[in-house]
């Protein structure tokens, strides 16, 4: 399986590039799809799951809880019919500034004209006046500052987003010069003031209400904390979740969207469970020539911390087109080579014309990029970064990966109850899939019994290379060797059914027997 594993540093035969891509288990890099008008039916969601989506994102910056609940019920039906696990991510609104267009009439703005941004939301949105949802903008900006407005922010498409320059401030109103002609269509447009501090809470009252109701009801796996600017934002969100029963297990992914979040990145990474690099907003806050540097630096830091890094805004053109641009295809591959865990699709699946094809295309590009990633160099770099002495778990995880590579194993099977051991194995980026067999633990609140494990299984669906399998709850987390062997047979059967394991393949197993952690190599018979 791995004898043809190329490295970018090696010469690649041009003829090999023309060979058809071989079908594989699936890409190791995960795909987060945003569900919306074009992707909320059971049929489309089922096709998205089959194409490779493993996390469904629900964007609460638009649509009400009832609308999202209908979509989620369709997701559950699709999961049942396809028998494919999918995690749920709630994306908060946060301190997002918006232009309110109650009439929903298209607004045409012409270059060199002036437009007034006003906090008076009673006014109708026109080409002369745009009402916004924030009264403090006039205090935050000054003459010469830049402001971007559009339904999906400024992407270089000069016709759907507008670039404004602040001309003067009049009381609570901000008078701006329009820098490019554009037509704004829809009821809400995002407003982004470049490199300006907005004095609003990261977790708004509306966000808290959505989490307390929709989030609790559906036991969401992830929260995408929009506009995370400080580590304290994550701590406050975690404190809030800790009081909401099962949501104390919900993972928080800090969404880095501006220079403020970038400045405090190290502290945020320490507190968060993962990072989302929101390149749409960051592409506005940062000079274009700096965006790639931030991506490479941030992804590296996430990799070394063993926390998932998610990259956004990769194939914007596929919102309306069946194929990505050459630059976009290369961008996806480079994100994989940089070390990202997942690609997040927004408008491409939310309102795009080709949600299924987009997911499929992303998966194919990721799989090709993974074939040429330099795992040996990555492994050595990670071991060096971790240093000595390693923790017990870290030592076992790195040893399992080293053994798997040396014996050319086709898969690593890891027994885990918390998911931590499997995530540590994935941290070393093995070239083969890691089957994370989550063994549930029985717990009680003295009124009823319940099992843990479902959260842990679904939360690995955003980690590169991890493929979860929920074991039979009758098997305890720490068990006899014989019991683990029966669970192992289930895992091997799953691998065979998926096409990832064949006769005479070698498999590395990482398990706990009593107080000892064991890494063993098995060779399958006919």
């Amino acid at each position: 399986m791995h004898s043809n594993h190329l490295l970018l540093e090696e010469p690649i035969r041009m003829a090999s590039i023309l060979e058809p891509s071989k079908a594989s288990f699936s890409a190791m890099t995960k795909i987060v799809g945003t569900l919306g008008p074009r992707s909320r039916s059971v049929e489309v969601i089922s096709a998205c799951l089959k194409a490779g989506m493993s996390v469904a994102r629900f964007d609460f910056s638009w649509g009400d809880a009832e609308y999202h609940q209908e979509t989620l019920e369709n997701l559950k039906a699709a999961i049942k019919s396809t028998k494919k696990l999918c995690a749920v991510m709630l994306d908060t609104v946060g301190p997002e500034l918006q232009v309110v267009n109650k009439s929903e009439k298209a607004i045409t703005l012409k270059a060199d004209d002036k437009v007034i941004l006003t906090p008076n939301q009673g006014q109708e949105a026109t080409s002369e006046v745009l009402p916004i949802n924030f009264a403090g903008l006039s205090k935050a900006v000054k003459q010469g500052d830049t402001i971007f407005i559009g339904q999906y922010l400024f992407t270089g498409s000069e016709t759907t987003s507008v670039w404004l320059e602040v001309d003067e401030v009049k009381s609570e109103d901000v008078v701006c010069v329009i820098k490019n002609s554009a037509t704004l269509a829809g009821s809400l447009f995002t407003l982004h003031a470049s490199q300006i501090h907005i004095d609003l809470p990261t977790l708004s009252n509306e966000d808290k209400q959505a989490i307390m109701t929709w989030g609790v009801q559906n036991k969401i796996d992830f929260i995408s904390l929009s506009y995370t600017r400080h580590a304290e934002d994550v701590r406050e969100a975690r404190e809030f979740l800790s009081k909401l029963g099962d949501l104390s297990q919900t993972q928080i992914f800090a969404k880095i969207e501006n220079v403020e979040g970038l400045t405090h990145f190290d502290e945020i990474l320490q507190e968060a469970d993962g990072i989302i690099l929101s390149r749409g907003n960051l592409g506005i806050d940062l000079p274009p020539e700096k965006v790639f540097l931030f991506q490479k630096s941030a992804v590296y830091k996430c990799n070394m911390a063993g926390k998932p890094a998610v990259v956004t805004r990769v194939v914007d053109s596929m919102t309306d087109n069946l194929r990505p641009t050459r630059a976009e295809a290369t961008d996806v591959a480079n994100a994989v080579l940089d070390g990202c865990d997942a690609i997040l699709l927004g408008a491409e699946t939310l309102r795009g014309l080709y949600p299924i094809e987009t997911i499929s295309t992303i998966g194919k590009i990721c799989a090709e990029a993974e074939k040429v990633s330099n795992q040996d160099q990555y492994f050595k770099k990670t071991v060096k970064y971790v240093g000595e002495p390693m923790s017990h778990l870290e030592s076992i995880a790195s040893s399992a990966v080293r053994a798997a590579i040396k014996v050319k194993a086709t898969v690593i099977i890891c027994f885990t109850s918390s998911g931590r051991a499997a995530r540590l194995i994935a941290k070393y980026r093995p070239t083969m899939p890691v089957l994370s067999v989550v063994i549930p633990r029985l717990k009680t609140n003295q009124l009823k019994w319940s099992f843990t494990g479902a959260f842990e299984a679904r939360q690995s669906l955003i980690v590169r290379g991890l493929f979860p399998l929920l074991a039979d709850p009758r098997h305890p987390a720490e068990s006899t060797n014989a019991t683990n062997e029966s669970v192992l047979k289930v895992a091997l059967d799953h691998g065979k059914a998926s096409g990832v394991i064949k006769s005479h393949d070698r498999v590395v197993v990482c398990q706990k027997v009593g107080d000892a952690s064991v890494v063993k190599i098995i060779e399958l018979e006919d």
Side-chain angles (χ1 to χ4, degrees):
M1 180 178 174
H2 302 287
S3 58
N4 296 325
H5 197 80
L6 298 168
L7 300 179
L8 281 181
E9 285 74 10
E10 297 173 355
I12 297 176
R13 291 184 302 109
M14 285 298 169
S16 71
I17 296 171
L18 301 177
E19 292 170 5
S21 300
K22 294 178 182 177
S24 61
F25 182 61
S26 68
M28 309 277 254
T29 308
K30 303 302 176 67
I31 300 172
V32 182
T34 305
L35 301 186
R38 291 277 184 174
S39 54
R40 66 189 303 255
S41 68
V42 176
E43 294 75 23
V44 174
I45 296 173
S46 297
C48 287
L49 291 173
K50 290 175 184 175
M53 180 180 79
S54 62
V55 180
R57 172 176 171 257
F58 292 79
D59 187 355
F60 271 72
S61 63
W62 69 276
D64 56 22
E66 187 179 345
Y67 180 90
H68 289 305
Q69 189 62 41
E70 287 175 9
T71 308
L72 183 55
E73 294 305 323
N74 289 344
L75 172 64
K76 290 176 182 175
I79 291 170
K80 192 173 180 180
S81 67
T82 61
K83 293 183 171 57
K84 289 188 178 292
L85 270 180
C86 185
V88 173
M89 175 182 284
L90 186 159
D91 200 311
T92 63
V93 180
E96 181 173 275
L97 306 189
Q98 295 174 331
V99 173
V100 183
N101 181 20
K102 292 178 181 176
S103 70
E104 298 193 23
K105 294 176 183 174
I107 300 167
T108 301
L109 301 172
K110 292 184 179 179
D112 300 324
D113 284 357
K114 289 188 179 180
V115 65
I116 297 172
L117 304 179
T118 178
N120 181 3
Q121 295 186 45
Q123 286 195 246
E124 186 176 337
T126 66
S127 54
E128 288 84 33
V129 179
L130 296 176
I132 61 174
N133 66 344
F134 179 50
L137 185 65
S138 60
K139 295 184 179 69
V141 299
K142 63 184 184 303
Q143 187 179 24
D145 284 345
T146 55
I147 294 173
F148 291 95
I149 296 175
Q151 201 168 8
Y152 295 97
L153 287 182
F154 200 77
T155 62
S157 173
E158 302 268 313
T159 58
T160 58
S161 301
V162 68
W163 172 29
L164 308 177
E165 186 176 296
V166 176
D167 185 52
E168 61 176 319
V169 175
K170 288 185 176 179
S171 185
E172 290 191 326
D173 294 345
V174 178
V175 181
C176 300
V177 176
I178 302 167
K179 305 302 285 185
N180 65 282
S181 297
T183 300
L184 305 179
S187 58
L188 284 176
F189 318 117
T190 302
L191 182 152
H192 187 89
S194 187
Q195 299 198 21
I196 291 164
H197 173 73
I198 301 299
D199 191 17
L200 287 171
T202 300
L203 203 60
S204 67
N205 290 332
E206 291 79 6
D207 290 328
K208 289 180 179 178
Q209 187 61 32
I211 294 166
M212 285 191 294
T213 52
W214 193 87
V216 170
Q217 178 187 339
N218 297 297
K219 297 182 180 179
I220 53 171
D221 304 295
F222 305 107
I223 279 183
S224 167
L225 193 61
S226 295
Y227 294 94
T228 303
R229 294 164 287 184
H230 303 270
E232 187 59 32
D233 296 339
V234 183
R235 285 192 286 268
E236 286 176 5
R238 204 175 297 284
E239 173 67 19
F240 176 68
L241 292 176
S242 70
K243 300 170 184 173
L244 299 176
D246 285 332
L247 291 203
S248 61
Q249 299 178 71
T250 297
Q251 290 190 349
I252 299 172
F253 274 57
K255 207 171 178 186
I256 307 300
E257 310 200 46
N258 54 27
V259 167
E260 207 171 346
L262 189 156
T263 305
H264 303 104
F265 184 85
D266 290 349
E267 307 96 86
I268 292 170
L269 177 60
Q270 201 169 351
E271 292 293 331
D273 297 300
I275 297 289
I276 297 175
L277 310 181
S278 183
R279 302 191 310 172
N281 287 352
L282 273 170
I284 292 168
D285 247 24
L286 289 174
E289 68 273 17
K290 298 288 188 182
V291 176
F292 86 97
L293 286 172
F294 167 71
Q295 176 175 311
K296 288 181 179 295
S297 173
V299 170
Y300 171 78
K301 287 173 182 283
C302 289
N303 290 166
M304 295 303 105
K307 295 185 177 183
V310 183
V311 172
T312 69
R313 302 303 288 267
V314 288
V315 286
D316 289 335
S317 72
M318 287 195 77
T319 303
D320 302 304
N321 299 292
L322 194 53
R323 287 170 63 92
T325 65
R326 294 180 297 279
E328 287 172 336
T330 305
D331 187 30
V332 174
N334 280 329
V336 173
L337 295 172
D338 284 346
C340 80
D341 287 79
I343 301 291
L344 189 153
L345 300 171
E348 302 98 324
T349 53
L350 175 85
R351 66 178 180 93
L353 302 178
Y354 308 102
I356 302 158
E357 292 84 353
T358 302
I359 292 169
S360 177
T361 299
I362 292 287
K364 289 175 184 175
I365 297 169
C366 290
E368 288 294 325
E370 288 158 7
K371 289 178 187 176
V372 296
S373 63
N374 193 332
Q375 196 281 336
D376 184 57
Q377 185 185 63
Y378 182 95
F379 184 89
K380 289 174 180 174
K381 180 175 67 177
T382 309
V383 168
K384 184 178 179 181
Y385 181 89
V386 171
E388 295 178 354
M390 278 186 174
S391 68
H392 176 78
L393 254 184
E394 191 103 36
S395 175
I396 292 293
S398 59
S399 298
V401 175
R402 188 191 297 273
I405 291 166
K406 292 293 183 185
V407 303
K408 290 186 167 54
T410 53
V411 69
I412 299 173
I413 295 175
C414 176
F415 294 103
T416 181
S417 53
S418 67
R420 184 163 170 246
R423 286 195 299 273
L424 271 177
I425 290 174
K427 172 182 174 178
Y428 287 88
R429 292 288 191 266
T431 52
M432 65 291 295
V434 180
L435 286 185
S436 170
V437 183
V438 181
I439 302 176
R441 285 188 286 195
L442 189 63
K443 66 174 184 177
T444 178
N445 60 2
Q446 298 182 342
L447 294 175
K448 63 177 181 178
W449 298 98
S450 62
F451 287 102
T452 66
F455 266 106
E456 291 81 355
R458 291 194 302 268
Q459 285 169 342
S460 63
L461 288 166
I462 205 167
V463 180
R464 182 161 159 179
L466 273 192
F467 298 89
L469 179 66
L470 200 56
D472 191 319
R474 289 171 293 186
H475 296 147
E478 294 181 23
S479 55
T480 65
N481 196 44
T483 306
N484 266 342
E485 290 299 333
S486 65
V487 182
L488 176 59
K489 184 178 183 304
V490 173
L492 291 171
D493 289 344
H494 176 74
K496 289 173 184 174
S498 303
V500 70
I501 303 175
K502 303 182 294 295
S503 298
H504 304 296
D505 278 353
R506 288 173 177 172
V507 174
V508 169
V509 181
C510 185
Q511 65 184 99
K512 196 167 187 180
V513 180
D515 293 330
S517 295
V518 178
V519 175
K520 64 181 181 181
I521 302 161
I522 59 174
E523 188 163 337
L524 302 184
E525 299 174 355
D526 287 327

